[in-house]
Amino acid sequence: MKKTLLFLIILSIVMTGCSMSTTNNNSSWNSEANSSNGNLFFGYGENVYFNIVAEEGIFRLHENPDEMSKVAEGIFSRLHIENGWIYTRKLSGEDSGFFKIETGGTEINQLIPLTGPKGIEMIKEENYIYYVDPRPAQGGIYKMHIDEKEEVKLTDDFTARQLYVIGEWLYYLESQGDYVYRVKTDGSVREQLTDNTSFMMMNEEWIYYFYQEGTIKRVSQDGSQEEVIKKDDTLRHQYMNIKDNWLYVSAHKGDGLSAKDWEFYKINLETEEETMIYKGIVTNIHIINDYIYLHADSSFYRMNLDGSEWIEIFVL
């Protein structure tokens, strides 16, 4: 029960996610928007890695996804993998901080020691880690060189989440005011792109976001173009991901306290065709290759993109 409660606490922190760079995110496997859903799953080298806080470890799924082997012991936040290394924030133990872990688990190195909630929201881009310090007094978005360890403050937005680095810009949702901003990675320019935003994700062309209650919009990365994708005042949208021309969306009616008020559907961006996938609570929607990995009700599952062939991976 203690581990399950801890898992739910961490899940509440990472469920709205934090993105890794689209240029280094194994985009042929991983949807860029997995990051806004927590990066609990990450595809790399024909394997899928899964961060299970309730089991205190990072696991590698086998070909049969209900079988797995532990790669690293501890409580971690979101995952990013490149060049044979897992980059993550370790939250447990006396050696908490940013780590890199060899994908087979043979080598574990601490990059930067950290304590408290600092760095749970983080991204890695080239030789820098960008992260959020959520403490109001000294908080904000920082970047730190992995080797030199020099910390540079970019903005004072200590409630930032859902971070993306694309080119020379860092994009993020400032959740206190519900705005999407972008800031130059040297901190020199900061621009507001949206308002009344509860969730945002990105791909190589657009920022997709939930606007007010019941509306899905997208805006170009420089804010010059904006389009309404769907408006339904009866729904409260919660999670979203994208694959090809399809948006995968989880939403609920009313306060969402009952599972019967939730629905998980996909909408085609060209034809506006909608397809219902599941009636029930769905969170943390990840898309890796041709599969969806998500949390539904009290378990994690893998399924096909059309919603068929659900396989239970882990039960809370």
Side-chain angles (χ1 to χ4, degrees):
M1 175 61 71
K2 183 178 179 181
K3 287 184 179 180
T4 301
L5 179 59
L6 179 60
F7 177 84
L8 293 174
I9 293 171
I10 300 301
L11 187 64
S12 70
I13 297 172
V14 305
M15 66 183 180
T16 49
C18 165
S19 170
M20 302 302 168
S21 162
T22 57
T23 58
N24 288 319
N25 204 21
N26 299 312
S27 58
S28 61
W29 267 63
N30 300 278
S31 165
E32 291 92 343
N34 288 353
S35 300
S36 288
N37 288 274
N39 260 0
L40 300 174
F41 294 90
F42 204 99
Y44 181 83
E46 300 184 359
N47 291 303
V48 174
Y49 293 79
F50 180 21
N51 176 26
I52 311 179
V53 177
E55 291 295 310
E56 298 190 16
I58 298 171
F59 292 78
R60 183 174 62 244
L61 301 184
H62 296 170
E63 184 175 350
N64 183 351
D66 61 2
E67 298 178 359
M68 60 185 74
S69 55
K70 182 176 281 190
V71 173
E73 183 83 27
I75 298 173
F76 300 91
S77 62
R78 60 197 78 255
L79 306 178
H80 174 67
I81 307 176
E82 65 176 80
N83 299 325
W85 292 94
I86 303 168
Y87 293 86
T88 186
R89 165 71 157 95
K90 186 180 180 185
L91 304 170
S92 60
E94 297 181 355
D95 60 344
S96 64
F98 293 135
F99 274 75
K100 72 173 187 177
I101 303 166
E102 193 272 326
T103 52
T106 60
E107 189 174 346
I108 300 176
N109 299 320
Q110 186 187 60
L111 298 174
I112 302 165
L114 292 172
T115 58
K118 187 177 181 180
I120 294 178
E121 294 281 354
M122 55 84 71
I123 59 177
K124 178 185 177 296
E125 167 63 5
E126 295 182 347
N127 293 320
Y128 286 91
I129 292 176
Y130 298 80
Y131 60 93
V132 178
D133 185 340
R135 296 172 295 180
Q138 67 269 50
I141 302 176
Y142 291 80
K143 74 173 183 179
M144 180 181 290
H145 194 280
I146 290 175
D147 297 323
E148 299 173 0
K149 309 292 192 297
E150 180 183 0
E151 186 178 60
V152 177
K153 190 173 189 179
L154 302 180
T155 80
D156 293 324
D157 294 321
F158 63 90
T159 62
R161 54 191 176 95
Q162 297 172 355
L163 313 180
Y164 288 75
V165 174
I166 298 179
E168 61 181 0
W169 293 95
L170 171 73
Y171 295 79
Y172 61 95
L173 174 63
E174 195 281 298
S175 56
Q176 189 172 51
D178 298 334
Y179 303 113
V180 172
Y181 288 98
R182 67 175 186 172
V183 61
K184 286 283 187 72
T185 52
D186 63 2
S188 62
V189 180
R190 176 176 175 268
E191 299 175 347
Q192 180 184 331
L193 300 176
T194 75
D195 58 9
N196 294 307
T197 303
S198 60
F199 177 100
M200 63 87 78
M201 68 177 193
M202 296 184 69
N203 63 9
E204 295 179 354
E205 298 181 61
W206 296 92
I207 303 167
Y208 294 83
Y209 66 102
F210 297 147
Y211 175 75
Q212 294 182 339
E213 295 181 347
T215 301
I216 304 173
K217 288 186 173 184
R218 68 180 182 182
V219 64
S220 58
Q221 293 179 6
D222 63 359
S224 62
Q225 301 178 60
E226 186 177 72
E227 299 176 1
V228 175
I229 296 171
K230 177 177 178 175
K231 183 174 176 59
D232 184 342
D233 293 335
T234 67
L235 290 177
R236 304 294 180 264
H237 295 102
Q238 299 296 321
Y239 295 87
M240 180 167 48
N241 209 315
I242 186 169
K243 171 75 172 181
D244 300 326
N245 287 321
W246 290 92
L247 283 184
Y248 293 79
V249 183
S250 175
H252 63 77
K253 297 180 180 179
D255 55 20
L257 295 178
S258 173
K260 65 181 177 62
D261 295 330
W262 285 71
E263 57 186 51
F264 176 45
Y265 67 94
K266 64 179 182 177
I267 180 171
N268 190 283
L269 293 171
E270 293 182 354
T271 66
E272 300 184 2
E273 171 193 356
E274 291 191 24
T275 303
M276 185 63 63
I277 296 176
Y278 178 71
K279 287 280 192 177
I281 299 173
V282 167
T283 64
N284 302 94
I285 306 163
H286 295 66
I287 300 176
I288 301 174
N289 206 9
D290 292 323
Y291 292 106
I292 300 171
Y293 296 79
L294 53 71
H295 181 259
D297 299 316
S298 60
S299 297
F300 284 95
Y301 294 90
R302 189 193 81 177
M303 72 190 70
N304 295 327
L305 292 174
D306 62 2
S308 64
E309 298 186 22
W310 288 53
I311 298 176
E312 189 174 63
I313 298 172
F314 181 78
V315 182
L316 285 177

